[in-house]
Structures are given as structure tokens and as C-alpha cells.
Amino acid sequence: MKVIIVSDKNHMGRVAADLIEADMRTKTPYVLGLATGSTPVPLYQELIRRNRETGLDFSTAISFNLDEYIGLEVTHDQSYRYFMNHELFNHININKDSTFVPDGLAENIEEVGKDYEKAIRAIGGIDYQVMGIGTNGHIGFNEPGSSLASRTRKVRLTENTILDNSRFFERKEDVPTDVITMGIGTILDTRKAMLLASGSNKAEAIAKSIEGPITATVPASSLQMHPNVTWIVTEDAAVNLQLEWN
Ligand code: GLP
């Protein structure tokens, strides 16, 4: 397990892009696991820049996103499909048909979860999973108490997450209460993983996840069991770490 402490968000984006770019050059087709939220945006901006300026090629890449709200149209600006198109896919040479986000509009979400797992397995697994972290330690939308062996499934959001995410919606009541997310077991099966965190509001969750006990109460602490995980954390999010990293 590696922890890289960086000065700011843009530095975080460059370090994350370096790791992904180096790994992408070793394998075709390359399978990315992607995340939403404000945290990975500097990484996506750096990948867009490299695609345009230095020829980082996504033409054969495949991507699977971690999660999606249940019940939001894909044209809704807070749906994760919309976010991914606007923050990344529309600006790089990836084939949109090779980008997968769980279908939060399907009637049978349980089936969507099973099919998502099957599709990931069929392609040979995810090569690099990108993640942010919730203030309560969630990864994807695996809320505290999620089984460490969970797979892609429907989850009910906690009040804490609804409140956190309400900043993106007009009213708190507009935040969907249910979501579909890859499970912790799904995330632990990825070949490599990176968790990005910036801002002092993540400091407590980061310290518990990196240096605390592995517990379902802090879903990101499960990454201590991942065979190849890198945490890229800005200084303000790293203030509560006690051990010597770097
Ligand atoms: C949402 C997403 C998570 C993300 C979290 C943090 O809940 N499902 O994947 O990590 O938000 O968001 P932000 O990066 O905006 O702090």
C-alpha cells in the first residue's frame, strides 16, 4: 500500500494521471474503473490535456463507472452518465459504446447489478480503479455497514451522504435516496486501485481508512486489503495521519 501526499488538487491530478498513463502503455485493451464527484475532476482534466497534447490514446480503452443514482434521467445534469460525458468522455477519443455506467433507470436493478459484474468479468477485470471518498468513508456508494464482500447492487443512501450531495441539487429533497454501486468485493478484485482525497473535510475519513482498523463501518478501510492500492492525498486531507508515509 502506497500513500502519496501532494501539495494541492492539480498536483494530485498529475500524479494520478502519471500512474494511469504508465499502466495504460503496458496493456491493450485497457479497462479503466472511473468515479464521479468533484475530487477526480483534476485527474480528468489532465487526461484530457494529455489526450490532446501528448497523444495519450483512449481509442481502445473500456471504462466501467462505480455507481449511478436510481431514477435520474441520463440527461439530468446530476446523473453520473451526464457527469462522465461532460467531464471526460466528450473530450477524449474514447468510443462511447465502450463506456459503461450502471443503468439506474432499469426496472430490475438486481439484474443490472448481476449483468454489470458479468460484463466486468467477461472483459478480464478492471485494470485501474479510480475512487474518491465520502466524508463518512464511503467508496462508490458503499455506505458504512456495507459487506466487505458486496457486489454491484442497490443501496439506500445515508442521511449524511444525502446532505453532502445536496450541494449539487436545487433542494435536498431532489437527491435520489437509492443508488446502484459496485460492491466492496468488486472494488477489491480490481488489478490496481487509487483513492484520491483533497480538502480538510476528508481528513478524518482518510486517517480512519489508512491507519484505522479494517471495518465495514469505514468502507474505504477495506482498501488496506487491496493488493495494489495507492492513496493520493492533498496535505490538508492528510493532516490526521500519524505514520510516516512517502
Ligand atoms: C459521491 C460518489 C463518490 C464520491 C463522493 C465524494 O458520493 N458516489 O464516488 O467519492 O461523492 O464526492 P466529492 O469528490 O465531490 O467530495
Side-chain angles (χ1 to χ4, degrees), residues 133-147:
I133 185 170
T135 55
N136 64 0
H138 75 222
I139 45 176
F141 266 134
N142 292 283
E143 295 283 38
S146 295
S147 158

Side-chain angles (χ1 to χ4, degrees), residues 35-40 66-69 80 131-135 138-143 157 161 164-165 167-168 181 196 198 201-202:
T36 54
S38 47
T39 309
L66 280 170
D67 48 9
E68 178 61 286
Y69 288 112
Y80 285 171
M131 268 166 290
I133 185 170
T135 55
H138 75 222
I139 45 176
F141 266 134
N142 292 283
E143 295 283 38
L157 295 181
T161 299
D164 274 359
N165 290 3
R167 68 188 193 279
F168 299 117
T181 182
L196 312 180
S198 58
N201 60 328
K202 301 293 171 69

Side-chain angles (χ1 to χ4, degrees), residues 1-167:
M1 175 159 118
K2 257 194 224 141
V3 179
I4 303 176
I5 297 170
V6 292
S7 50
D8 57 36
K9 283 187 206 176
N10 291 335
H11 188 194
M12 180 183 75
R14 288 195 304 275
V15 170
D18 284 348
L19 291 175
I20 291 175
E21 177 165 10
D23 205 48
M24 277 184 83
R25 294 196 186 280
T26 67
K27 186 177 170 287
T28 311
Y30 196 79
V31 186
L32 287 159
L34 298 175
T36 54
S38 47
T39 309
V41 170
L43 162 64
Y44 296 157
Q45 285 172 351
E46 183 60 16
L47 293 178
I48 293 166
R49 191 192 67 74
R50 292 182 192 199
N51 180 239
R52 287 188 179 157
E53 294 174 15
T54 65
L56 177 60
D57 181 27
F58 293 90
S59 60
T60 58
I62 296 159
S63 74
F64 287 90
N65 259 78
L66 280 170
D67 48 9
E68 178 61 286
Y69 288 112
I70 290 180
L72 283 194
E73 295 295 331
V74 294
T75 49
H76 190 292
D77 63 4
Q78 290 310 318
S79 85
Y80 285 171
R81 162 54 75 184
Y82 183 98
F83 176 98
M84 289 311 300
N85 286 348
H86 287 263
E87 297 296 334
L88 183 64
F89 301 149
N90 288 350
H91 311 289
I92 59 175
N93 69 333
I94 198 164
N95 177 355
K96 281 250 184 77
D97 293 339
S98 303
T99 66
F100 300 95
V101 179
D103 180 3
L105 291 170
E107 256 178 36
N108 191 336
I109 293 291
E110 198 182 320
E111 211 169 284
V112 175
K114 283 190 181 140
D115 289 348
Y116 209 63
E117 292 281 334
K118 253 191 241 162
I120 293 171
R121 260 200 311 277
I123 205 75
I126 290 171
D127 291 310
Y128 223 135
Q129 179 64 53
V130 175
M131 268 166 290
I133 185 170
T135 55
N136 64 0
H138 75 222
I139 45 176
F141 266 134
N142 292 283
E143 295 283 38
S146 295
S147 158
L148 301 186
S150 50
R151 311 301 306 190
T152 308
R153 72 204 184 290
K154 180 175 170 174
V155 163
R156 164 99 1 130
L157 295 181
T158 59
E159 201 49 37
N160 175 82
T161 299
I162 290 177
L163 205 63
D164 274 359
N165 290 3
S166 65
R167 68 188 193 279

